[in-house]
């Protein structure tokens, strides 16, 4: 029982970063109807940059690098989704290409070594469970960001435009909302969040060049588990995925521990709400 | 009727003649024969993407994974149990389809976007399973000593066999595309609601088509295993998948010969590319570039129209701004 609590707690702390990755997935899906497969690659790029440069400058550079990468993806996706050729699958393929590019770029520039930093020597003792203070920082950062996003989405004109373009792109553009610019901003926001998540990952679990697609899958899984339409649900989904991972790692032998979370996501995917878009024949 | 058969088979005849012309030129060189077999294998894999993505609109990010299933199926039964490669062939054709159908059925209730994510999942899980498979899949070491085909021992015979298979698959594919099923798939891709109204069971049909395309990839995997006589965890990975998707997209995923052109082009290009690490960058950039310039590929693009459009781009741009948001 005690063990179980420990695994759940560790999982939840691990899942915080997935929650950060889940937010851009659900936001992008509800505003543009598309998925950015390169999301995990931004995060790994941020990990690599922050690891190489180090210090606060490194963190800043890492986030900027991720935003820059998402800037490129945004431009590409807008070009791909131009009128007469709105094909989400093509846009997904484009982000897939960029994810491959980034992965190969990270591999050739930063090498194959796993990148991780452990800034704290001492650990907190939570009822016998040793926890790095870093997880506390992670939780605090995530709470701040989520609150900020919530306020932006609910209280500012920008957030209102964003929600309007998500709910009804045609209606929004008829009301003078620059829908395409909003889409672009959504991509940038995704890069920003992925960059922050990347920095947090560097200081907790670490990553290597090949983590990009796995991170995308975790973010995506977190986003779909409770439904795509709210950032808070995505955050809860992230905690959930983290717990599933921690439980599998605790109770199952090696390979299964890695495979089961994927299979859980697959089950969620096949049972989930995303399929209900189907009712409109794929037209979101 | 005769005319439709002729127009359907014309591109295949062109390919057959090309292969016949090239064969005597490269027959003396083991290096080029080897590359020719590789091109044929990747043509099959790219055709599998062409079927799923070009025809049915299902983007599979795991053609190499389905190929790997076929390759490992035949490797395990032939190298471990000494069974005939023909039994291996049956397994290589069946297993990917058996796996792909329920997967597509569970996911694509009409929406292809989640399915492409699911294929990504499959790819990750499969790579993991191969690595952790222990003695069954050979783990990190892989399976070596896969017997070459007794009916195609020499590299030249392998060249002939693999291109015969490509032509055979193309003929079947062309027939399927022109048949009622092929037309139903096209309708289902462009307007699922309309297809349903026409009495097509869209999810079952698309899943079936996806399974057939996986089967073609499995065939390629069978050839791959018996050609290289080695299968390892790094043989057919996700990096190979992107290459295959890129092949199909470059040549024109919805056309018959496009994937083959792409396969030949990229395989030959790879010969002259630097280290494997940087290949992903080049392939990624080329993929994005092709998607931006000619998303339908070399054979699928109406070049005349495209060039005309470029000439009148300014007036088009004005219209784009006017209608852009509406179409969004």
């Amino acid at each position: 029982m005690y063990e179980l609590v420990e695994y759940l707690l560790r999982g939840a702390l691990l899942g915080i970063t997935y929650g950060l990755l889940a937010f851009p997935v659900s936001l992008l899906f509800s505003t543009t109807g598309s998925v950015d497969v390169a999301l995990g690659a931004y995060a790994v790029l941020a990990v690599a940059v922050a690891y190489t440069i180090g210090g606060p400058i490194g963190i800043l550079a890492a986030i900027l690098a991720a935003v820059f990468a998402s800037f490129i993806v945004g431009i590409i996706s807008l070009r791909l989704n131009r009128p007469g050729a709105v094909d989400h699958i093509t846009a997904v393929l484009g982000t897939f290409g960029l994810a491959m590019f980034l992965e190969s770029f990270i591999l050739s520039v930063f090498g194959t070594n796993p990148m991780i930093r452990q800034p704290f020597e001492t650990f907190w003792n939570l009822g016998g469970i040793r926890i790095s203070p870093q997880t506390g920082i992670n939780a605090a950062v995530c709470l701040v960001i989520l609150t900020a996003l919530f306020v932006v989405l609910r209280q500012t004109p920008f957030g209102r435009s964003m929600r309007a373009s998500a709910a009804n792109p045609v209606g929004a553009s008829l009301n003078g909302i620059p829908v395409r610019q909003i889409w672009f901003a959504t991509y940038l926001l995704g890069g920003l969040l992925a960059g922050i998540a990347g920095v947090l990952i560097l200081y907790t679990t670490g990553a290597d060049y090949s983590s990009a697609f796995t991170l995308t899958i975790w973010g995506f899984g977190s986003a779909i588990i409770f439904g795509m339409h709210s950032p808070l649900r995505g955050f809860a989904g992230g905690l959930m995925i983290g717990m599933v991972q921690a439980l599998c790692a605790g109770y199952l032998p090696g390979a299964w521990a890695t495979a089961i979370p994927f299979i859980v996501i697959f089950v969620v995917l096949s049972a989930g709400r995303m399929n209900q878009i189907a009712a409109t024949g794929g037209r979101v | 009727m005769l005319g439709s058969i002729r127009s359907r088979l014309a591109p295949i005849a062109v390919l057959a003649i090309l292969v016949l012309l090239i064969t005597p030129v490269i027959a003396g060189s083991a290096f080029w024969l080897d590359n020719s077999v590789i091109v044929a294998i990747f043509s099959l894999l790219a055709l599998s993407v062409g079927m799923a993505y070009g025809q049915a609109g299902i983007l599979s990010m795991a053609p190499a994974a389905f190929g790997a299933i076929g390759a490992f199926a035949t490797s395990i039964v032939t190298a471990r149990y000494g069974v005939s490669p023909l039994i291996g062939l049956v397994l290589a054709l069946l297993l990917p389809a058996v796996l792909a159908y329920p997967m597509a059925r569970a996911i694509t209730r009409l929406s292809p976007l989640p399915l492409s994510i699911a294929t990504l999942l499959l790819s990750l899980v499969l790579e993991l399973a191969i690595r952790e498979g222990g003695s069954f899949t050979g783990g990190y070491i892989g399976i070596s000593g896969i017997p070459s085909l007794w009916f195609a021992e020499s590299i030249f015979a392998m060249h002939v066999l693999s291109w015969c298979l490509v032509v055979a698959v193309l003929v079947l594919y062309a027939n399927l595309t022109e048949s009622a099923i092929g037309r139903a798939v096209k309708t289902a891709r462009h307007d699922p609601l309309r297809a349903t109204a026409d009495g097509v069971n869209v999810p079952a049909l698309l899943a079936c088509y996806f399974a057939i395309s996986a089967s073609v990839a499995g065939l390629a995997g069978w050839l791959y295993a018996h050609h290289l006589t080695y299968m390892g965890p790094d043989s057919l990975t996700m990096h190979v998948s992107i290459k295959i998707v890129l092949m199909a997209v470059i040549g024109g995923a919805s056309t018959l010969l496009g994937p083959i052109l792409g396969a030949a082009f990229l395989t030959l290009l790879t010969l002259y590319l630097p280290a494997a690490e940087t290949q992903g960058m080049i392939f990624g950039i080329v993929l994005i570039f092709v998607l931006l310039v000619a998303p339908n590929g070399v054979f699928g693009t109406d070049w005349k129209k495209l060039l005309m459009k470029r000439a009148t781009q300014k007036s088009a741009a004005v219209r784009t701004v006017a209608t852009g948001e509406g179409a969004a």
Side-chain angles (χ1 to χ4, degrees):
Chain A
M1 190 59 211
Y2 177 73
E3 225 179 28
L4 183 73
V5 173
E6 176 174 355
Y7 289 145
L8 286 180
L9 184 66
R10 282 192 189 285
L13 291 171
L14 179 71
I16 290 173
T17 42
Y18 300 154
L20 267 190
L21 283 175
F23 184 76
V25 173
S26 52
L27 194 64
L28 195 68
F29 184 76
S30 51
T31 32
T32 69
S34 183
V35 173
D36 187 354
V37 188
L39 207 60
Y42 310 152
V44 179
L45 183 69
V47 169
V49 170
Y51 180 74
T52 316
I53 300 179
I57 300 170
I59 292 174
L60 193 67
I63 294 171
L64 281 180
V67 171
F68 179 70
S70 69
F71 177 76
I72 294 173
V73 168
I75 291 177
I76 293 169
S77 304
L78 285 194
R79 280 285 297 156
L80 287 179
N81 269 339
R82 66 189 181 277
V86 180
D87 183 2
H88 297 311
I89 290 293
T90 316
V92 173
L93 195 54
T95 62
F96 187 54
L98 199 96
M100 273 291 165
F101 173 82
L102 282 178
E103 192 181 293
S104 165
F105 175 76
I106 293 162
L107 175 64
S108 32
V109 175
F110 300 99
T112 52
N113 290 332
M115 294 167 278
I116 184 164
R117 273 182 201 282
Q118 300 282 11
F120 295 98
E121 298 285 323
T122 53
F123 288 83
W124 290 341
N125 195 325
L126 230 74
I129 304 171
R130 268 159 45 93
I131 287 175
S132 163
Q134 179 64 37
T135 50
I137 297 180
N138 288 1
V141 167
C142 285
L143 276 181
V144 168
I145 288 175
L146 277 182
T147 320
L149 282 174
F150 199 74
V151 170
V152 166
L153 274 181
R154 291 278 152 195
Q155 305 292 335
T156 65
F158 174 74
R160 211 179 310 125
S161 312
M162 195 171 242
R163 281 184 291 136
S165 0
N168 184 348
V170 178
S173 63
L174 285 177
N175 281 297
I177 293 171
V179 173
R180 289 172 72 80
Q181 279 86 327
I182 297 279
W183 281 10
F184 190 66
T186 316
Y187 276 101
L188 284 188
L189 196 56
L192 177 70
L193 290 171
I196 295 170
V199 172
L200 297 184
I201 288 169
L202 171 68
Y203 289 107
T204 28
T205 50
D208 66 13
Y209 77 98
S210 63
S211 319
F213 283 107
T214 329
L215 283 177
T216 304
I217 290 288
W218 297 145
F220 186 80
S222 314
I224 57 171
I225 216 164
F226 291 120
M228 280 286 225
H229 293 292
S230 155
L232 282 177
R233 288 187 189 173
F235 188 69
L239 298 187
M240 193 82 176
I241 294 279
M243 287 185 211
V244 169
Q245 268 186 315
L247 285 180
C248 291
Y251 291 110
L252 293 172
W256 286 107
T258 328
I260 292 291
F262 287 127
I263 294 169
V264 168
I265 293 178
F266 183 83
V267 170
V268 171
L269 198 56
S270 50
R273 293 192 170 182
M274 213 171 157
N275 272 327
Q276 290 176 6
I277 306 156
T280 56
R283 299 187 205 95
V284 180
Chain B
M1 185 65 199
L2 207 65
S4 100
I5 291 177
R6 204 173 291 155
S7 71
R8 179 194 316 165
L9 297 183
I12 304 169
V14 170
L15 176 78
I17 290 168
L18 264 181
V19 172
L20 282 180
L21 285 179
I22 290 173
T23 301
V25 180
I26 61 169
S29 150
F31 173 74
W32 286 113
L33 281 175
D34 180 65
N35 277 311
S36 148
V37 177
I38 298 284
V39 169
I41 291 168
F42 277 101
S43 297
L44 286 175
L45 286 166
L47 274 175
S48 135
V49 174
M51 289 177 77
Y53 177 53
Q55 299 293 331
I58 302 168
L59 173 62
S60 164
M61 298 193 193
F66 288 118
I69 293 170
F72 268 101
T74 186
S75 309
I76 289 167
V77 295
T78 54
R80 293 223 193 293
Y81 303 106
V83 179
S84 159
L86 290 178
I87 308 269
L89 174 62
V90 174
L91 283 177
L93 287 173
L94 277 182
L95 276 184
V98 166
L99 193 77
Y101 183 81
M103 190 172 119
R105 207 50 222 273
I107 304 278
T108 83
R109 274 177 217 143
L110 280 176
S111 168
L113 203 60
L115 186 66
S116 58
I117 301 285
T119 56
L120 194 64
L121 276 171
L122 172 82
S123 202
L124 291 170
V125 171
L126 193 78
E127 276 179 37
L128 195 75
I130 291 169
R131 268 198 209 103
E132 305 291 336
S135 58
F136 186 63
T137 60
Y140 284 88
I141 306 158
I143 299 175
S144 49
I146 303 163
S148 51
L149 303 167
W150 86 84
F151 44 87
E153 283 281 3
S154 72
I155 181 93
F156 182 76
M158 201 65 194
H159 161 85
V160 173
L161 171 74
S162 44
W163 281 105
C164 282
L165 282 177
V166 171
V167 169
V169 166
L170 264 183
V171 171
L172 293 174
Y173 176 31
N175 280 343
L176 187 65
T177 314
E178 295 284 316
S179 69
I181 293 175
R183 286 196 300 272
V185 165
K186 272 183 205 150
T187 316
R189 183 222 173 130
H190 292 293
D191 197 339
L193 216 55
R194 163 73 203 268
T196 314
D198 285 348
V200 176
N201 183 354
V202 175
L205 179 75
L206 288 187
C208 234
Y209 213 77
F210 186 58
I212 295 173
S213 84
S215 203
V216 172
L219 174 69
W222 177 75
L223 267 177
Y224 186 93
H226 289 292
H227 175 58
L228 296 182
T229 69
Y230 166 78
M231 259 319 280
D234 296 328
S235 298
L236 290 169
T237 56
M238 200 143 71
H239 293 262
V240 184
S241 286
I242 172 106
K243 215 165 118 181
I244 296 164
V245 172
L246 179 57
M247 286 168 181
V249 173
I250 281 188
S254 57
T255 61
L256 275 179
L257 291 187
I260 295 167
L261 175 81
F265 173 68
L266 273 190
T267 312
L268 296 181
L269 186 72
T270 314
L271 290 178
Y272 300 104
L273 277 187
E277 288 147 33
T278 50
Q279 279 185 16
M281 277 199 269
I282 295 162
F283 292 149
I285 285 194
V286 174
L287 176 58
I288 292 167
F289 181 77
V290 171
L291 285 178
L292 288 177
V293 175
N296 295 323
V298 173
F299 284 155
T301 305
D302 191 346
W303 288 103
K304 216 165 131 193
K305 204 172 145 194
L306 189 76
L307 293 176
M308 297 255 292
K309 210 170 87 187
R310 282 286 140 83
T312 54
Q313 205 167 32
K314 272 207 172 143
S315 60
V318 175
R319 259 178 285 135
T320 304
V321 170
T323 57
E325 260 99 77

